[in-house]
Amino acid sequence: MAKSEGLMTEGFMAAALAEARQAADRDEVPVGAVLVIDGAIVARSGNRTRTDNDITAHAEIAVIRQAAAMLGQERLAGADLYVTLEPCTMCAAAISFARIRRLYYGAEDPKGGAVESGVRFFAQPTCHHAPEVYSGLAETEAASVLTGFFRSRRAPR
């Protein structure tokens, strides 16, 4: 990865982390995502399951929906997705069906993740498309946002 590409990647993950923090402010599990095409963010969101009363409104799904609507197409070949937490099975399937080119994520999710944990969705023979996967991007910060959120919810009020 060239130095300038690394700086852009860090900036995109910083934007995803900002979305995660905004999700926490809405009392959502703090996961954030941005979708990038040709070096520009075209969609950004944090989790919205509680806000929208929609269990499928994970950050990854939200940005895929936004980008697809904006572009007027269901396939997002050439798009890169930055997300703060390892995607679950539902989101991994959406990433595959949308034909996302690259997936970058921060913290691993041994309990609910489906990329390098759990079912390892992209490694299954039934997976139609597997993106290039880059894990551990801003992992410490991404994990800290999540652990801080859940710690505050368990603290006596």
Side-chain angles (χ1 to χ4, degrees):
M1 184 180 326
K3 187 175 182 178
S4 62
E5 186 178 342
L7 292 174
M8 286 177 42
T9 298
E10 290 173 15
F12 296 140
M13 186 53 83
L17 284 161
E19 292 297 326
R21 288 185 186 93
Q22 288 176 20
D25 291 345
R26 293 190 307 273
D27 202 30
E28 299 275 3
V29 173
V31 177
V34 298
L35 195 126
V36 175
I37 297 176
D38 295 330
I41 295 174
V42 296
R44 58 192 319 143
S45 185
N47 274 353
R48 302 191 54 81
T49 59
R50 294 175 138 221
T51 304
D52 295 352
N53 294 314
D54 178 359
I55 197 62
T56 69
H58 289 195
E60 301 95 311
I61 302 287
V63 297
I64 288 170
R65 286 176 177 159
Q66 286 174 26
M70 184 189 79
L71 298 169
Q73 60 192 45
E74 78 276 16
R75 300 282 168 88
L76 302 171
D80 298 335
L81 178 64
Y82 293 79
V83 62
T84 58
L85 182 66
E86 178 181 1
C88 69
T89 306
M90 173 183 70
C91 293
I95 290 164
S96 176
F97 287 125
R99 303 298 194 263
I100 301 292
R101 176 178 63 173
R102 293 185 194 117
L103 167 65
Y104 298 86
Y105 72 86
E108 68 174 8
D109 185 358
K111 236 179 171 177
V115 176
E116 293 175 333
S117 304
V119 300
R120 299 180 183 208
F121 187 87
F122 301 131
Q124 299 305 313
T126 54
C127 179
H128 297 295
H129 166 78
E132 294 175 32
V133 176
Y134 301 91
S135 60
L137 194 62
E139 181 175 16
T140 302
E141 188 174 357
S144 177
V145 170
L146 284 157
T147 56
F149 174 79
F150 287 112
R151 187 177 299 119
S152 72
R153 293 179 66 88
R154 288 189 299 270
R157 296 178 188 223

